[in-house]
């Protein structure tokens, strides 16, 4: 494939000579013109001299890192397209790079086809960077350490979420985060707030499922003195406390209908009344909400107001369950070992890796963390060993017990069937060397139906 439709001058910045040489030869063969630099200062100098349309930038450079170099380049030309190379698997680097204005990022090692496709896309859209320009001013110190509860992931679905966070954070859009229990919805909300223009403003949180309706109302909206027995003084509600900042409404699916109406009014008019109050309280608050249940109109068992759903879901972030991002398990394992055993070097038994990857993790990352923490506490002789997990096998003679356990864990009938369907297709694909035609014949279904199932069941790549 040639570069006939994507004329582009490319600056390659990497301290590895062989990497620069290989990328330069590849891009030159495709019709691109290339320039090279092996450190930050030279990269900025070459950038000023040639003003390339695209920069391929390694994040790990001597002297100053790629994020710092990226910042300098964006200050020179806000329309520059930059692709970041990183060997790191944590989300903070990805979000910082996207927030700073990077077009995309790739983790080493990478597939050449993917690299070429991203280069072509970057050059094609080099004039469409208004959104990226709005993010340029949000650069923080790129050398600051990761927060203690940063998000970890290299799965393609998580990478897209990191990019979305980087783009939505500096706006004032309301955000609805959807994911099963234990997937890390609060971490996503924290990341949005941390990377927003309101990062230094009030940030308050409330779990809408933890309080009764009356208590939830008084906590959210506050109350006037004498409005009910025990109301001895005026109390500010959380929206009032969060004025000028951000409020996070966790488990908003549990919010009573009467309060849903009041929340809708806040989103529409940025004002509300305290309990027992007659004067409106005006606020300017960004709302981030999360739910572990599908709130879309028409969803099963959803009694959520349709108008409120659309107000909240200006941006919707769907967090995949851990069973759909098993490539992240080893990263998470290393993270939790470091978290709970920073001074001990643990050897991980091979069977432990197998068990962790075979398990379906109905409790998601929270369950994984608790499992690893427990294993660390009970480890002997510096060996981390996990022998068995519940629901580990769906194909043994205890299937009925395992399936009932899914229901007990909170899965719906439909979700349980999807998990069984996914496992059946996975095993059939493995048996037939991932050949979809043979797999469809083996399962006695139409190949188009199999393809549809593979697409719909996003657990399967």
């Amino acid at each position: 494939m040639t570069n006939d439709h994507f004329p582009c001058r490319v600056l390659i910045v990497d301290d590895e000579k062989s990497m620069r040489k290989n990328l330069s030869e590849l891009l030159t063969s495709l019709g691109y013109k290339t320039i090279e630099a092996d450190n930050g200062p030279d990269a900025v100098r070459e950038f000023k001299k040639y003003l390339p349309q695209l920069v391929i930038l390694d994040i790990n450079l001597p002297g100053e890192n790629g994020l710092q170099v990226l910042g300098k380049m964006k200050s020179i030309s806000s329309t520059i397209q930059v692709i970041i190379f990183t060997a790191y698997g944590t989300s903070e680097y990805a979000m910082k790079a996207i927030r700073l204005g990077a077009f995309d990022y790739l983790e080493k090692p990478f597939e050449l086809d993917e690299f070429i496709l991203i280069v072509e896309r970057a050059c094609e859209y080099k004039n469409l960077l208004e959104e990226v320009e709005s993010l340029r001013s949000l650069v923080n110190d790129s050398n600051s350490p990761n927060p203690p509860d940063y998000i970890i992931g290299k799965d393609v679905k998580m990478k897209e979420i990191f990019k979305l966070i980087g783009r939505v954070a500096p706006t004032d859009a309301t955000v609805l985060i959807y994911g099963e229990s234990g997937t890390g919805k609060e971490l996503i909300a924290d990341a949005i707030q941390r990377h927003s223009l309101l990062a230094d403003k009030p940030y308050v949180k409330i779990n809408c499922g933890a309080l009764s309706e009356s208590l939830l109302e008084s906590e959210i909206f506050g109350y006037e003195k004498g409005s009910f027995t025990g109301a001895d003084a005026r109390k500010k509600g959380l929206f009032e406390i969060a004025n000028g900042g951000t409020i996070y409404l966790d488990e908003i699916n549990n919010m009573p209908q009467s309060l849903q109406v009041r929340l809708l009014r806040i989103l529409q008019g940025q004002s509300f009344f305290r309990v027992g109050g007659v004067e409106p309280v005006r606020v300017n608050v960004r709302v981030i909400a999360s739910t572990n249940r599908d709130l879309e109109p028409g969803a099963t068992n959803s009694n959520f107001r349709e108008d409120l759903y659309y107000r909240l879901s200006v941006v919707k972030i769907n967090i995949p369950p851990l069973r759909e991002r098993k490539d992240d398990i080893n990263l998470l394992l290393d993270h939790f070992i470091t978290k709970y055993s920073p001074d001990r070097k643990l050897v991980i038994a091979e069977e432990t890796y197998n068990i962790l990857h075979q398990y379906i993790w109905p409790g998601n990352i929270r369950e994984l963390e608790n499992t690893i923490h427990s294993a660390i506490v009970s480890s002997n002789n510096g060996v981390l060993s996990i022998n068995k997990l519940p629901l580990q096998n769906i194909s043994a003679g205890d299937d009925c017990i395992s399936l009932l356990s899914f229901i007990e864990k909170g899965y719906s009938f439909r979700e349980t069937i999807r998990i069984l369907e996914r496992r059946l297709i996975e095993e059939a694909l493995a048996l037939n060397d991932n050949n979809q035609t043979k797999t469809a014949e083996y399962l006695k279904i139409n190949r188009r139906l199999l393809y549809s199932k593979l697409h719909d069941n996003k657990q399967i790549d």
Side-chain angles (χ1 to χ4, degrees):
M1 187 173 185
T2 65
N3 181 39
D4 294 340
H5 301 291
F6 306 97
C8 215
R9 183 183 294 111
V10 183
L11 171 60
I12 303 169
V13 187
D14 198 304
D15 61 337
E16 296 182 23
K17 184 177 180 179
S18 59
M19 174 64 77
R20 297 198 310 274
K21 181 175 182 293
N22 291 338
L23 292 180
S24 179
E25 289 179 351
L26 172 64
L27 293 176
T28 300
S29 70
L30 295 173
Y32 296 88
K33 296 181 178 180
T34 62
I35 314 151
E36 298 180 26
D38 62 1
N39 60 67
D42 285 353
V44 174
R45 186 162 47 251
E46 294 296 291
F47 181 77
K48 290 179 178 178
K49 181 178 179 180
Y50 292 101
L51 290 178
Q53 288 79 26
L54 172 64
V55 178
I56 297 170
L57 181 61
D58 188 22
I59 204 169
N60 190 22
L61 295 172
E64 53 185 357
N65 66 37
L67 292 180
Q68 293 170 311
V69 175
L70 174 58
K72 292 179 180 179
M73 291 180 175
K74 296 297 289 186
S75 67
I76 298 169
S77 172
S78 62
T79 59
I80 183 62
Q81 300 275 19
V82 180
I83 298 171
I84 290 284
F85 281 163
T86 174
Y88 300 99
T90 60
S91 60
E92 290 298 309
Y93 290 100
M95 286 187 285
K96 285 181 180 179
I98 295 298
R99 185 188 64 198
L100 185 55
F103 177 79
D104 212 330
Y105 74 97
L106 281 170
E107 289 183 3
K108 297 179 179 179
F110 51 85
E111 296 291 334
L112 287 181
D113 289 344
E114 182 184 9
F115 168 71
I116 294 171
L117 178 61
I118 292 175
V119 167
E120 290 177 344
R121 286 177 50 225
C123 288
E124 181 183 12
Y125 295 110
K126 64 181 179 292
N127 296 320
L128 303 177
L129 293 177
E130 290 85 357
E131 181 181 32
V132 173
E133 172 63 17
S134 70
L135 308 180
R136 181 175 58 83
S137 62
L138 301 178
V139 181
N140 291 331
D141 180 10
S142 58
N143 288 321
S144 60
N146 286 317
D149 292 317
Y150 60 94
I151 313 162
I152 291 176
K154 64 178 181 180
D155 177 86
V156 62
K157 299 183 185 75
M158 294 306 298
K159 289 180 181 179
E160 291 304 313
I161 288 176
F162 301 154
K163 296 173 189 176
L164 181 55
I165 290 172
R167 292 185 173 109
V168 72
T171 73
D172 61 359
T174 56
V175 181
L176 181 62
I177 305 168
Y178 169 64
E180 296 176 6
S181 296
T183 50
K185 296 186 289 295
E186 186 173 351
L187 291 182
I188 298 293
D190 292 347
I192 293 171
Q193 193 275 339
R194 187 169 62 249
H195 289 269
S196 75
L197 292 168
L198 307 175
D200 60 343
K201 304 299 182 183
Y203 180 36
V204 299
K205 305 177 183 180
I206 187 166
N207 187 323
C208 299
L211 300 173
S212 66
E213 180 173 351
S214 59
L215 285 176
L216 184 61
E217 181 181 31
S218 62
E219 284 296 315
I220 291 179
F221 303 108
Y223 54 78
E224 296 289 352
K225 179 180 179 180
S227 58
F228 55 85
T229 302
D232 299 326
R234 171 187 285 178
K235 178 184 177 180
K236 289 184 177 181
L238 294 181
F239 263 96
E240 204 167 348
I241 294 171
N243 189 26
T246 306
I247 190 168
Y248 172 51
L249 304 173
D250 190 18
E251 293 190 26
I252 198 167
N253 49 288
N254 291 317
M255 178 174 281
Q257 285 264 349
S258 60
L259 298 189
Q260 290 181 31
V261 175
R262 296 194 64 182
L263 176 60
L264 179 62
R265 289 172 182 163
I266 292 180
L267 294 176
Q268 290 174 331
Q270 290 285 293
S271 68
F272 63 94
F273 292 90
R274 301 187 191 97
V275 176
V278 294
E279 294 293 330
V281 179
R282 300 196 177 279
V283 293
N284 183 14
V285 178
R286 186 195 192 163
V287 175
I288 303 174
S290 68
T291 172
N292 58 17
R293 195 176 70 229
D294 190 359
L295 299 181
E296 288 194 36
T300 306
N301 299 323
S302 176
N303 60 352
F304 203 78
R305 290 182 62 95
E306 183 174 339
D307 46 6
L308 178 56
Y309 168 78
Y310 287 120
R311 280 283 181 177
L312 290 171
S313 59
V314 173
V315 177
K316 187 176 181 181
I317 298 178
N318 294 324
I319 310 176
L322 185 55
R323 63 182 176 275
E324 293 183 16
R325 43 178 292 214
K326 288 193 173 182
D327 285 347
D328 288 341
I329 286 179
N330 288 355
L331 279 176
L332 291 163
L333 174 62
D334 292 341
H335 170 69
F336 293 133
I337 289 175
T338 301
K339 179 178 179 178
Y340 292 112
S341 184
D343 300 322
R344 289 176 64 196
K345 289 187 177 181
L346 293 173
V347 176
I348 304 172
E350 187 64 30
E351 63 179 6
T352 294
Y353 283 110
N354 295 333
I355 288 174
L356 292 178
H357 282 266
Q358 290 171 4
Y359 186 47
I360 59 168
W361 298 108
N364 293 294
I365 297 173
R366 185 183 297 123
E367 183 181 6
L368 175 66
E369 179 174 5
N370 292 339
T371 299
I372 294 171
H373 190 189
S374 176
I376 290 172
V377 171
S378 59
S379 62
N380 294 317
N381 302 320
V383 177
L384 182 70
S385 180
I386 298 173
N387 297 319
K388 191 176 182 181
L389 291 168
L391 310 184
Q392 182 182 329
N393 296 310
I394 306 181
S395 57
D398 293 331
D399 284 357
C400 57
I401 298 175
S402 295
L403 295 178
L404 289 177
S405 297
F406 275 90
I407 302 300
E408 292 168 1
K409 288 282 188 179
Y411 282 75
S412 67
F413 175 84
R414 184 173 59 179
E415 289 169 337
T416 304
I417 295 301
R418 283 193 68 196
I419 292 169
L420 279 174
E421 185 177 83
R422 173 179 56 84
R423 178 61 66 89
L424 177 63
I425 293 175
E426 282 179 340
E427 293 184 0
L429 281 168
L431 186 65
N432 291 279
D433 299 320
N434 287 316
N435 185 302
Q436 292 186 17
T437 300
K438 291 181 179 179
T439 299
E441 293 174 355
Y442 178 82
L443 293 173
K444 297 180 176 60
I445 61 175
N446 185 279
R447 188 179 184 279
R448 185 173 297 175
L449 176 60
L450 174 64
Y451 179 81
S452 175
K453 294 290 185 184
L454 288 170
H455 182 268
D456 293 340
N457 274 287
K458 295 182 179 179
Q459 299 95 323
I460 307 171
D461 294 328

